Amino acid sequence: MIKTKVAIQVTSSGTLPEDTVMLGDAYVKLWKIPVGQHVPLKFGAFRQSLKIIPSAKTDGIRISPALAERMGLPTAGRTQLRFNYRSGTISIGPLIGVLISRDFPGTPDKPFGTITMFCRELVEACKAQGAHVYFFTPGSLSGGSASSVLGWTYAGGWRQTRMPAPDIVNNRLTSRKLENAANVQHFLSEAKRLYGTAVFNEKFLDKPEVFDALQKDADLHRYLPESYLLRNYATFKKMCERYSHVFLKPARGSLGKGIIRVSHLEGESYQALHAMSAGSKRAVYPTLPKLYASISAKMKTARYQIQQGLHLIEFQKRPVDFRALVQKNSAGKWIITSIVARTAGNQQFVSNLARGGSLSTVSAAVAKSNLSTSVSRLESVKRLRLAALHIAQGIDTHIPAHFGELGIDLALDTSGKVWLLEVNSKPSKNDNTPLNEGKIRPSVRMMIQYARHLSGF
């Protein structure tokens, strides 16, 4: 059977004209390519009509150095190759562009700061699958043209080179401001329109947006704690009277920043716990209006969601929740790549690792928790996994944007009921498993498999 992952070779200078490529005999015969005629060659947005010469000694494709430089192709390696019978085009790829927030050209050994090792991992994973990857930032999009990008590639070292717009963009921007910048939105829309570029994880998700969207699905109601965008005192009073405690969460927050837990004490008094990096800051108010007055200043600068307080399972009196990394696979179907338990740190009521939380397996955390003895531990783990997949499918159905991976935060209460806490459309690769130099994580491999699915490779 003919291979789709083939060797790509760059000949020595002068061996091949720039408008000619050599292609293995088997491919020329299989694809019925007219010998000596010009055929379109595609690599991302790069397209050029080239003369094809069959070669019995070539198990792939050979190109000239000048053509390789214009295409942004590496000097050697293996690539996926396919032929479109309808258009008569030979495609090399897929070409994946990873859109990241910033780079540091002054430190070429570590041009992406703390995510440099993750980027190297992507390079190695692409190499293993015959894909191609480069990294670019909003700052490299000056100029208005979507046909090419100044991107970072790796071949023995990092270097910046002019690359064609990619087949796939994985949006890993960590800032809404950057994501909404005019040059970023222009590039993404033009790349889609002109070159058929697919963009996944194309937008941030706000907490109210997620809960409002999933409310439309009767099958997902069971996972949703009562939640509202906090607009006025009436909503605040209703929720605080209905539940023994509630959570106030910034609509656009992450890493547990800005979360406030409000609890009813004796009589008319209330307590507010503010999540801080070194622990929780506690304040007590004689009445609910006094508490609301104290937090209303925060609401002038950020939107807040008010959410029903849950009686989460605990381990050693510390709350436990779960992060599922859900990704689309080589068939475009949602699967669970990993799911871990997160136990809050001492003096904390949020479980984020950035605030002293610790990781464990789901089974171990559930087994050691104060989950009711009448509830099956094994069934609880299964319900968490099923909920993550249901919620990912709900996001796809009810939110008009393209996602390829989601971080879904779930909780179990002491009666074994599964709850959704929040959905993150830019899940951190460092939050689930530590980077392991030399080892490619399943989450990275899956991202490339989905990119291949999207691009037809």
Side-chain angles (χ1 to χ4, degrees), residues 9 13 43 47 91 108 110-111 113 138 206 209 217 245 361 365 419 429 447:
Q9 299 173 327
S13 188
F43 182 58
R47 290 165 174 78
S91 295
K110 209 173 180 183
D206 291 351
E209 175 187 20
D217 193 322
H245 65 280
T361 65
W419 297 93
K429 298 304 178 192
M447 189 276 277

Side-chain angles (χ1 to χ4, degrees), residues 167-389:
D167 298 304
I168 309 293
V169 171
N170 180 5
N171 176 4
R172 293 203 57 80
L173 292 175
T174 55
S175 148
R176 286 175 171 82
K177 184 178 178 181
L178 288 175
E179 185 171 88
N180 294 327
N183 65 331
V184 171
Q185 290 303 315
H186 174 78
F187 171 79
L188 294 178
S189 63
E190 287 297 279
K192 288 179 193 176
R193 184 178 69 85
L194 296 172
Y195 308 111
T197 298
V199 181
F200 69 87
N201 286 32
E202 58 186 342
K203 70 188 285 286
F204 279 91
L205 289 170
D206 291 351
K207 295 179 183 71
E209 175 187 20
V210 169
F211 279 77
D212 289 349
L214 298 185
Q215 288 282 4
K216 300 170 186 173
D217 193 322
D219 289 339
L220 298 176
H221 274 187
R222 56 188 153 152
Y223 302 127
L224 303 179
E226 188 174 359
S227 304
Y228 303 98
L229 188 60
L230 183 54
R231 300 180 189 276
N232 51 48
Y233 177 71
T235 302
F236 183 68
K237 181 173 184 284
K238 179 182 79 171
M239 289 290 283
C240 288
E241 288 178 346
R242 184 170 294 174
Y243 300 105
S244 62
H245 65 280
V246 298
F247 284 94
L248 305 182
K249 300 179 177 181
R252 294 184 166 185
S254 62
L255 303 176
K257 293 176 184 172
I259 295 179
I260 305 168
R261 174 180 163 146
V262 175
S263 307
H264 188 195
L265 302 177
E266 290 184 3
E268 294 185 6
S269 63
Y270 282 81
Q271 168 186 278
L273 282 180
H274 298 255
M276 311 291 284
S277 55
S280 303
K281 178 181 154 190
R282 180 174 182 263
V284 175
Y285 299 86
T287 64
L288 198 58
K290 288 277 177 66
L291 193 162
Y292 185 76
S294 79
I295 61 172
S296 56
K298 291 179 180 290
M299 293 165 52
K300 290 175 182 173
T301 55
R303 294 186 309 146
Y304 270 76
Q305 181 192 39
I306 186 166
Q307 193 172 90
Q308 167 190 348
L310 304 170
H311 296 282
L312 305 190
I313 60 170
E314 295 179 341
F315 171 62
Q316 295 178 344
K317 297 189 176 180
R318 293 182 291 160
V320 177
D321 66 23
F322 306 89
R323 161 60 68 92
L325 178 63
V326 187
Q327 294 179 288
K328 286 181 179 170
N329 65 9
S330 58
K333 304 294 184 188
W334 286 111
I335 63 162
I336 294 175
T337 305
S338 67
I339 181 167
V340 294
R342 305 183 302 185
T343 303
N346 288 324
Q347 309 303 315
Q348 290 280 5
F349 59 89
V350 293
S351 64
N352 303 75
L353 299 191
R355 295 176 183 273
S358 57
L359 293 181
S360 64
T361 65
V362 176
S363 299
V366 172
K368 294 175 185 174
S369 75
N370 63 339
L371 181 66
S372 170
T373 53
S374 63
V375 178
S376 163
R377 267 61 179 161
L378 187 61
E379 286 302 315
S380 296
V381 174
K382 287 180 182 176
R383 285 200 302 275
L384 283 166
R385 298 180 70 88
L386 192 62
L389 291 174

Side-chain angles (χ1 to χ4, degrees), residues 25-44:
D25 253 345
Y27 301 95
V28 174
K29 290 172 182 173
L30 176 73
W31 295 334
K32 298 181 174 60
I33 294 173
V35 176
Q37 290 195 17
H38 282 71
V39 172
L41 182 72
K42 175 182 178 298
F43 182 58

Side-chain angles (χ1 to χ4, degrees), residues 58-111:
T58 301
D59 178 31
I61 190 166
R62 303 181 75 187
I63 64 178
S64 71
L67 179 60
E69 186 174 345
R70 284 200 297 111
M71 293 172 71
L73 267 171
T75 53
R78 301 189 76 78
T79 187
Q80 297 286 334
L81 203 62
R82 68 185 176 104
F83 183 71
N84 185 316
Y85 286 93
R86 183 177 293 176
S87 65
T89 302
I90 297 172
S91 295
I92 294 171
L95 180 59
I96 303 167
V98 182
L99 180 54
I100 58 176
S101 294
R102 60 189 63 83
D103 58 6
F104 306 94
T107 54
D109 290 343
K110 209 173 180 183

